[in-house]
Amino acid sequence: VSSAPPPAPLNRPLPPLPPPGAPSPRAPAAWTIALAIVLVIAAWFVIGWNAAKMRPPPAIGLVAPEFAARPAAAQVIIVVTRDGAYRISKTPKGWTMTDRGAYPIKADRMEDFTKRLAALSADRPLTRDPKKHARLGVDDPAQGGAGVRLQVQDAQGALLANLVLSSFSDQQYLRRNAEPQVWAGPVALPNLREASAWLDLTPYAIAPDRIASVDVAPPVGAGYAVVRPDAEIAAFQLGRPLSGKPLAGGVRPSAVAAALGALEPIDVAPAPSITGAPSARAILYTTDGLAIDAELFVRGDLYWVKLGARATSPNAEAEAQALNARIGPWAYGVTSLDYASLAPPLADAVVSAAEATAALTPGPLAQPPAPAAPRAAPRTPAAPRAPPPAAAPPGPATPPEAPPEPAEA
């Protein structure tokens, strides 16, 4: 006997149809599947996009290809640091620094810069995070950052190079244009932070054995001279007015002569821009008839020297003329230490400042500063007077009795 249930009757009523517009019972499952597919596609897209974002960019090679292709087209170089900016321009006479009165640029420096910039490449990406720019020295100098912005323009003002560079000596980090991506390159550009690095600031070089004497009118005190007594003797001695006086530990006459004979400026400006009376003067005389006049100026915390050359012998006329053409138009900036070495007061070079003050006489330099008035020596106090003798009492004066004679034996 079979235990299977009896078959349902064929005349069982069918379930009612849903009304028109009602959702199908299978609709929620279809929407769920479709939404899952969309989410999978979105997740795949996000993951792929993040992977592409995190993937280091390929090496770009030359960072200034326009400059590398047309280096001769460069007309203007602009350098901006957080301490200031300077501009270099190409003129019919060559490259000059516009911000220093069109002072000539060193030819070898420009040649080295051109070669290095044309070869500068970026072959190792570092970071795109702007928060890390300062650590790598490529933060914007316009915002006080340590980076150096370099722009090279052609005659129409089009940019041939636009970079933000680090100033590290052993590695070159850079950013192109305003991009956040930082790159490392194998070739470092020369120092761009210091404008003076582009300039040949050496006005002349006088060999020590060529110097005969130096006349000095210091900022305080009267003038004096340092002289070399013999052509065979390298050391200088103190000249007038204290010739032969022993020297104190401080300024040496040989140092005074060397300071003016081998001047080492750190900046330059057009000579007419430094006005007013000089604070000190010095004149160097050579053994063969050349004289170098130096006027010293203090302007705020800056120290300047104006130079001129003249001949004291016909043999030096041509040299003086050529030297004046080079140094005459300019005022040279020097450090405070060099300024003090060029015209030190005489009291710093002799044993006794009081002796120097008493012995100084005005020197032959034109309009030397007036010597300080010597202090009067303190008066020696007078010895106290003895009191007058006491008056004798009234009455006849009785002479004192003579001592008794010793008895004879």
Side-chain angles (χ1 to χ4, degrees), residues 10-218:
L10 297 176
N11 59 352
R12 186 180 60 179
L14 297 174
L17 295 174
S24 172
R26 299 181 179 179
W31 280 106
T32 301
I33 294 173
L35 180 60
I37 293 174
V38 170
L39 291 177
V40 169
I41 295 174
W44 176 83
F45 177 79
V46 170
I47 293 174
W49 182 78
N50 285 334
K53 181 180 179 181
M54 297 176 63
R55 186 184 305 119
I60 59 175
L62 298 178
V63 299
E66 295 86 356
F67 177 84
R70 300 187 299 135
Q75 294 290 321
V76 177
I77 299 172
I78 301 173
V79 177
V80 180
T81 72
R82 61 184 172 190
D83 299 322
Y86 61 87
R87 176 187 294 259
I88 299 172
S89 303
K90 183 185 288 187
T91 70
K93 295 183 179 181
W95 288 94
T96 62
M97 184 162 289
T98 310
D99 306 272
R100 299 298 189 275
Y103 194 86
I105 298 295
K106 292 188 291 188
D108 57 346
R109 165 78 179 203
M110 180 57 67
E111 181 180 358
D112 180 57
F113 168 80
T114 301
K115 290 181 179 179
R116 292 196 187 194
L117 181 57
L120 187 62
S121 62
D123 54 7
R124 184 160 58 93
L126 298 180
T127 182
R128 296 180 182 179
D129 187 357
K131 296 179 180 179
K132 298 179 181 179
H133 288 175
R135 185 189 310 173
L136 298 172
V138 291
D139 43 342
D140 190 355
Q143 304 298 326
V148 177
R149 180 172 292 279
L150 168 66
Q151 293 183 337
V152 181
Q153 301 175 359
D154 63 12
Q156 289 72 39
L159 289 173
L160 302 178
N162 186 18
L163 308 171
V164 177
L165 305 156
S166 67
S167 297
F168 303 128
S169 59
D170 56 346
Q171 179 66 63
Q172 185 75 76
Y173 302 126
L174 61 93
R175 293 191 296 123
R176 296 195 311 166
N177 305 320
E179 298 172 357
Q181 177 66 51
V182 182
W183 298 86
V187 180
L189 289 175
N191 175 29
L192 301 178
R193 187 171 295 277
E194 300 296 334
S196 59
W198 294 87
L199 310 175
D200 182 6
L201 294 177
T202 303
Y204 52 78
I206 305 295
D209 59 357
R210 192 184 171 195
I211 303 174
S213 65
V214 178
D215 284 352
V216 179

Side-chain angles (χ1 to χ4, degrees), residues 100 194-197 199 201 264-268 302-303 332-336 338:
R100 299 298 189 275
E194 300 296 334
S196 59
L199 310 175
L201 294 177
E264 296 181 349
I266 59 173
D267 205 350
V268 69
L302 301 178
Y303 302 86
Y332 294 90
V334 296
T335 65
S336 58
D338 286 344

Side-chain angles (χ1 to χ4, degrees), residues 299-347:
R299 296 295 178 264
D301 58 350
L302 301 178
Y303 302 86
W304 299 93
V305 179
K306 289 184 180 180
L307 300 169
R310 54 189 171 87
T312 60
S313 168
N315 297 331
E317 288 287 353
E319 182 182 8
Q321 184 177 1
L323 196 54
N324 266 331
R326 173 178 171 80
I327 65 179
W330 308 104
Y332 294 90
V334 296
T335 65
S336 58
L337 181 61
D338 286 344
Y339 172 86
S341 300
L342 288 169
L346 183 58

